[in-house]
Amino acid sequence: MKRQLDELLDADLQKINHISENKHYAGFSKKFNKEVFVKIFKDSLKYNLEYEVLKEQGTLLLNLQEYNAFVLEYEDYIPITRETMADDDIIKAAKLIAKFHKDNWLMIKNEKEVSLEKVLEKNVTRIADRREYEKVCEINSKLLKNIKVLEAEYEETLVLIHGDFGLRNIMRKDDRLVLIDFERVKYASYYLDFIKYFYQDLNNDKSKIELFLEHYYAHSFEKLISKELEISLVFISSLGILNYTKRVNDKEFERLGLRMLADVDDYFRNN
Ligand SMILES: Nc1ncnc2c1ncn2[C@@H]1O[C@H](COP(=O)(O)OP(=O)(O)O)[C@@H](O)[C@H]1O
Ligand SMILES: [Mg+2]
């Protein structure tokens, strides 16, 4: 694969070490007369989804469909960490994702999560072999009692979400922030983009979340959601993590899923 890419780009690409299921290369391309970045996808569906977004953005140098790969200009991105993230970055990130939610109405081919009830059912069923299943069913039945109201509200929150919004996919470029990595885009509730970001990157810090939401709502068309819909989305996120960590051994991530589930459980105990 590297030899073919080197030939195509007239380059000597170097593999970039990045923990991912995908592969990444970078190097100077004599064909393009610039530094290039190559992303090779493990999964062709994910390649297609990211391709659809990048095509709209007009940032592709070359599309290599037969390899499930594409070539972008190499950018000197500086990663953002929780330690280097200032309040101003939280505001910029809010504006960035607000713009993404407003701008992207592409016709993507993956499944649309337009029914909350169906999303709940799918996610609950997938973890039937886990020991949390009983508790999960109990919580689900509480949500189902109010499903008509929740469903109507959920429908109003549907946009094309990023699907993997968080610091690892927000890059610093000069004094701007840039959103990358669009392989998990899907139609779902805009607020679903925020759950993992709040828990992992903002450490569930109330004032940081408020700052983020203030600027998000100021720059988006979306309405504030009810506490119960928010809890439903925390529940869905936790089930997603509990399903993922069945096949991928990531104890810390699994603990996050369990913490989310405990928060949902607490909510129903107190309400
Ligand atoms: N255009 C680019 N130029 C240079 N580095 C990039 C570029 N795009 C992404 N990267 C780097 O490669 C990493 C992986 O890219 P990403 O699209 O997030 O792939 P993955 O889906 O495998 O996480 C990013 O974290 C970033 O550091
Ligand atoms: Mg990434």
Side-chain angles (χ1 to χ4, degrees), residues 18 20 22 24 37 39 73-75 77 169 181 183:
H18 171 75
S20 170
N22 304 320
H24 311 86
F37 171 81
K39 180 168 174 180
E73 185 163 340
Y74 185 88
E75 305 282 357
Y77 290 141
N169 288 321
D181 196 351
E183 62 183 50

Side-chain angles (χ1 to χ4, degrees), residues 6 8 23 54 67 74 112 149 151 163 167 220 229 245:
D6 277 349
L8 262 165
K23 290 195 182 81
L54 293 179
Y67 300 113
Y74 185 88
K112 294 184 180 165
V149 174
E151 194 74 83
L167 290 187
S220 84
L229 184 56
T245 51

